[in-house]
Amino acid sequence: MWRQQKCVSTYVTVIVKSESAERFLNMCRHKNIIFWEIKSNDDGFTGNITRADFLCLKDICKKTKTTVRISKRHGVRFLLFKYRKHYSFLIGIAAACLVLYFCGLYIWDVSFTGNYKYTSSSLIKYLATLQVHSGMKIKEVDCDGIEASLRNEYSDITWVSAEISGTRLIVHIKENDGAKETEGFASEQRDIVAEKDGIVSSIVTRTGTPKVKKGDSVTAGQILVSGIVDVRNDSGEVINQKYTSADADIMIRMEIPYEETLGYEYEYKHYTGRKITKWIFGVADNDIEVGFSFMKFNQADTVTDSSVLKLTDSFYLPLRKGKKEYLEYEMRSQIYTEEEANQVLVSKFNRYLLDLIENKVQIIDNSVKINNNGSEYKMSGVIVADVPAYAYADITMTVIEGNEETE
Amino acid sequence: MRGKESFVQALDITRDAALGMPVITVVGNSEAYVENFKSIVEYDCARVKLLTKKGLLSICGERLEILYYDEEEIAVRGKICNIEL
């Protein structure tokens, strides 16, 4: 309790002179007047007491014949009172308020949430082309315009919401979750056609007329599911045709060739361990580096760690601080051992397979092998996989023979 | 009083809560916390004497100072040499 008061409220350090300091303290305690950090001296003690409690001591002092004298005042209230006639102090406060007010008129931080595919830096670059950037006036920000522009520019972004919070522009984004794009054919009449050559390994038709069955060989461009559905009468004759939006899950088994080569020699960065650290201070987009070193590096990586200063979570200031590290390195070349080369090639191959799996490709088999041909390591072979290699196309109109006859 | 003590003992209630017995906590030889004290009887830099329900409690040492006190507890800081009850 007393620690909180010490930090927050105004309090005074007092020198208490009393013939019976114990009685004085007991009476204070009885009236819930709290002293802290009490130090005994020859004719009493010194201690800390809050300003409010100090004003209640009069009766107790009279009863115990005690004198209480303030030796030091602590807290903002006393500070303001002390400097009340120092006009420079008041001007300083007014100037600080003005600076804060003007800082509050501009955007000092642009951030994005919900973006996975597109990095924040690429989105910030795009917004810069729309004249939306850190340092612009808040009243000039057109949130609706930003939302519309982002939706038009990035087809994968399905929902955008831009909001201004304090001096921040926060753009909330929802990206497409990876479902196959229907590319404008969703509500129109369409066929499904093969994108690549292969053998149909599975076909589940929801809408439309399947033109192939499991095990059929197909070529690129061939219609797999037609959007035309025949309407037949009781005797099985086609009396009409209905145009629909074909919808199906189709997997085509195909062979995907894979080839990756790796030279014997490779270069890598060898960090010497020497580094130069500099502090950076930035105002708006301008950075100043503070620090000096006699070392000079020919080749160095730069690692920057900076943060924008803020008063609250939403009130960002146009000031930035951080540090920049220059890590010296030198390029060295080395020869891969066979084991290392195998590891590198296998990890690349695994990454490639993972990419395929992420694109809904089912891996059935692979015959990929590593060979050392004397000049380089080569990983090559064929991956057998079920691929959703189909696309949507405009419906192919056909003429009903029966209708011709009736006309 | 004796009857009250045996009643508390029978109910297995902690004595400090039921009878207001002093609770003394000592941290090393630098800090002592006394709960349930009645009043400060004597205070100087070598001795802090407190009145409790069990009689006088004396904390002796060097450079003793009262860190804080409130209705329930008092904290004494300094080089504590002995505590007598």
Side-chain angles (χ1 to χ4, degrees), chain A residues 1-21:
Chain A
M1 179 68 183
W2 62 275
R3 283 183 204 276
Q4 291 166 7
Q5 283 180 340
K6 190 177 174 180
C7 294
V8 176
S9 68
T10 52
Y11 68 97
V12 288
T13 302
V14 291
I15 299 168
V16 179
K17 286 183 182 174
S18 175
E19 289 175 6
S20 173

Side-chain angles (χ1 to χ4, degrees), chain A residues 2-3 21-26 28-30 32-40 44-45, chain B residues 33 36-45 64-73 77:
Chain A
W2 62 275
R3 283 183 204 276
E22 294 83 3
R23 188 170 170 238
F24 175 79
L25 282 173
N26 286 328
C28 288
R29 179 169 165 253
H30 182 68
N32 208 18
I33 294 170
I34 307 295
F35 280 89
W36 69 89
E37 290 179 354
I38 300 166
K39 288 172 190 166
S40 172
F45 63 88
Chain B
Y33 299 85
N36 298 331
F37 78 104
K38 278 184 169 179
S39 63
I40 302 165
V41 178
E42 188 186 334
Y43 170 54
D44 59 43
C45 56
L64 296 180
E65 60 180 70
I66 297 172
L67 194 59
Y68 70 89
Y69 67 83
D70 56 27
E71 280 182 34
E72 292 176 353
E73 191 181 31
R77 186 167 66 182

